[in-house]
Amino acid sequence: MPRPSKGIRLHLRGDRYNADGKLSHASTWTIRDGSREIFTGCAPGETGKAEQKLKDYIAAKYTPTRKAQDIETIPIGDVLSIYLDDRPELAAGDSTPAKRFQKRIDRLNNFFGKYMLADINGALTRAYVKERGSDGGARRDLEDLRAAIGHHASEGLHRGLVKVTLPAKGKARDRWLTRSEAAALIWACWRTRETQTIHRGPMKGQKVTTDKRPLRHLARFILIGLYTGTRASAIAAASPVPAIGRAYVDLDRGIFYRLAEGHAETNKRQPPVPLPPRLLAHMRRWRERKLIARHFVEFNGAGVQSVKTGFKTAVGLAKLPGKVSPHTLRHTAATWLMQTGTPTWIAAGFLGMSEKTLIDTYGHHHPEFLQDAVENMTKKPRQRVGVKPSATVTDIKNHRPGFAPETTETNVDKEVQT
């Protein structure tokens, strides 16, 4: 009777010597899968790295079942794996959004992977929120879990209803920049010079200011964000040259195609938008003077993935109060459009958001916000036809004796004539 298989495992293969007694192969970790042996390239002291290689090997080898099953028999890890395989556009490349998506899926798999689809309930999701330590972060992760389950159901791969309970949505941020604050932020980025510490010679330890301008790329980022209200990732991908993975800016026609070429449309709508003349003039000048090459936001000649660190430095230099992030530029653009009285449906189309979201979040900045109510507050109440002045609203509704409206033909005729 054959011995049972030990399964896929790590094995430390010892040193190997040739016929002359010389070391030919140093010790290394290998992966044993039945009769196969896969070299990991990890030395004996690199146990953690070898374990990760084993984990990746098992994940690559495993293929989830793609047939309709009851939710009691479907591991949540399979649901996440299928979602990841079927939506490569969400995790394509090494972009910052793709890396964040992959991290969210990893967190979900580490917690929910051991459970079955039928185990999902309010108590389990609340346990995840507690472990995550952040309501906002947990909500974003659980939205991906809900999307993965929805995709699994739409493919006809499970029978049964699964509901993911999300933590309450946080209050929408309403921090926006005044025009003077925006100018201060741009000037801080444009004027700041790099400071270096001397490490040798008689001036060792002293700090000197160089001619390098480390934040000037952020000035371009801020201008594009303020004038178009575009999301940070699309601004970072903006390029005067059309290419896969880039958001194209047609400087001849003045159109910003915010959705990167080759990327699928998501609920974060990024429609093409005409560029304001002042911004278009800036962008054309940046290209003519060769301040940029392939991207409008470049640092040391290369495009950037994220501007969070530099942006935080710029906010500190400009001494702006409150929580100001790159997304604040989008809030600012929406607020300025409302303050200038732009029709809501036009502003919503320009920003790439629904009109309801625009009104709910920024509508109070519009000059016509509740103006009808304000005007009506100063008006005298209208005298209703045939109602005695002493009648109350309740009396009129109930038609109490003594307060019945006078609706004789004579009274009506008099009121109309008046």
Side-chain angles (χ1 to χ4, degrees):
M1 182 177 179
R3 291 187 300 175
S5 173
K6 295 182 180 179
I8 304 174
R9 66 196 186 280
L10 283 175
H11 172 71
L12 182 60
R13 185 164 184 171
D15 296 336
R16 286 177 288 169
Y17 299 86
N18 56 25
D20 298 332
K22 295 182 179 180
L23 181 67
S24 60
H25 297 83
S27 299
T28 182
W29 286 104
T30 64
I31 298 174
R32 289 227 174 143
D33 184 5
S35 60
R36 295 185 62 198
E37 188 171 28
I38 299 94
F39 287 86
T40 65
C42 301
E46 298 177 318
T47 307
K49 188 176 179 180
E51 290 175 345
Q52 183 62 45
K53 292 273 188 179
L54 176 63
K55 180 181 177 182
D56 294 341
Y57 176 80
I58 295 175
K61 183 177 180 179
Y62 178 72
T63 303
T65 302
R66 286 180 176 263
K67 65 178 183 179
Q69 302 177 74
D70 294 327
I71 57 178
E72 289 80 5
T73 62
I74 303 175
I76 297 176
D78 284 6
V79 176
L80 295 171
S81 179
I82 290 174
Y83 184 60
L84 198 59
D85 292 341
D86 291 356
R87 302 297 300 273
E89 71 278 3
L90 296 178
D94 295 327
S95 64
T96 299
K99 290 180 180 178
R100 290 175 181 169
F101 173 72
Q102 292 164 1
K103 286 182 179 179
R104 293 196 299 270
I105 295 296
D106 287 342
R107 283 194 296 265
L108 290 169
N109 190 52
N110 291 337
F111 183 88
F112 291 100
K114 59 186 177 182
Y115 295 101
M116 294 297 174
L117 202 53
D119 295 329
I120 293 182
N121 53 33
L124 186 60
T125 54
R126 285 191 292 272
Y128 179 77
V129 174
K130 184 176 180 180
E131 180 177 292
R132 183 77 165 81
S134 166
D135 286 0
R139 181 183 173 88
R140 184 64 190 90
D141 293 352
L142 291 172
E143 286 175 344
D144 282 329
L145 176 61
R146 184 175 62 182
I149 295 172
H151 173 73
H152 197 263
S154 67
E155 291 290 307
L157 300 179
H158 73 247
R159 295 183 290 265
L161 179 64
V162 182
K163 179 177 175 57
V164 178
T165 304
L166 302 180
K169 193 172 184 179
K171 184 180 179 181
R173 297 177 184 174
D174 194 28
R175 177 66 167 102
W176 54 278
L177 303 178
T178 64
R179 295 187 181 270
S180 59
E181 286 178 329
L185 186 60
I186 293 172
W187 278 115
C189 295
W190 193 255
R191 293 172 173 172
T192 298
R193 295 165 62 182
E194 185 178 77
T195 300
Q196 296 182 351
T197 302
I198 299 177
H199 297 284
R200 296 179 181 177
M203 297 179 63
K204 182 178 180 180
Q206 295 186 20
K207 294 184 177 181
V208 295
T209 301
T210 69
D211 292 332
K212 294 182 178 180
R213 312 280 181 167
L215 299 179
R216 281 198 169 178
H217 66 293
L218 284 179
R220 293 191 284 273
F221 176 90
I222 293 168
L223 283 172
I224 297 173
L226 290 174
Y227 277 113
T228 66
T230 303
R231 299 178 186 277
S233 58
I235 298 176
S239 170
V241 181
I244 298 296
R246 298 180 189 171
Y248 174 52
V249 180
D250 187 343
L251 293 179
D252 296 327
R253 298 176 57 216
I255 303 294
F256 183 6
Y257 297 92
R258 294 185 282 201
L259 182 63
E261 188 173 339
H263 288 198
E265 184 72 61
T266 67
N267 60 344
K268 303 292 186 182
R269 291 179 287 180
Q270 296 178 325
V273 60
L275 294 171
R278 186 174 298 180
L279 176 62
L280 181 59
H282 282 307
M283 300 177 86
R284 285 172 175 170
R285 185 171 62 253
W286 298 339
R287 183 183 62 175
E288 291 169 359
R289 296 183 180 180
K290 298 183 178 180
L291 299 176
I292 61 167
R294 298 181 178 180
H295 295 85
F296 285 98
V297 183
E298 294 178 339
F299 184 72
N300 290 336
V304 299
Q305 293 290 335
S306 175
V307 298
K308 283 188 174 181
T309 302
F311 196 89
K312 184 177 180 180
T313 300
V315 170
L317 292 172
K319 299 179 180 180
L320 300 183
K323 187 176 179 65
V324 180
S325 68
H327 199 68
T328 303
L329 303 179
R330 182 169 169 82
H331 291 308
T332 301
T335 301
W336 287 2
L337 285 173
M338 290 293 93
Q339 289 175 340
T340 55
T342 306
T344 54
W345 68 275
I346 293 178
F350 183 83
L351 295 167
M353 65 175 66
S354 69
E355 188 174 8
K356 181 181 183 304
T357 299
L358 179 71
I359 294 173
D360 291 347
T361 308
Y362 310 100
H364 59 283
H365 293 292
H366 200 283
E368 296 182 4
F369 178 68
L370 298 181
Q371 282 303 306
D372 289 344
V374 173
E375 293 175 2
N376 289 337
M377 286 297 293
T378 60
K379 290 182 179 179
K380 293 182 179 180
R382 292 182 297 177
Q383 182 69 38
R384 294 184 62 180
V385 177
V387 178
K388 295 182 179 181
S390 58
T392 64
V393 173
T394 305
D395 295 331
I396 295 170
K397 288 184 177 179
N398 298 334
H399 298 289
R400 289 175 55 188
F403 295 99
E406 298 180 5
T407 56
T408 63
E409 184 177 354
T410 305
N411 288 337
V412 173
D413 291 341
K414 290 180 179 179
E415 189 69 27
V416 172
Q417 293 172 4
T418 303

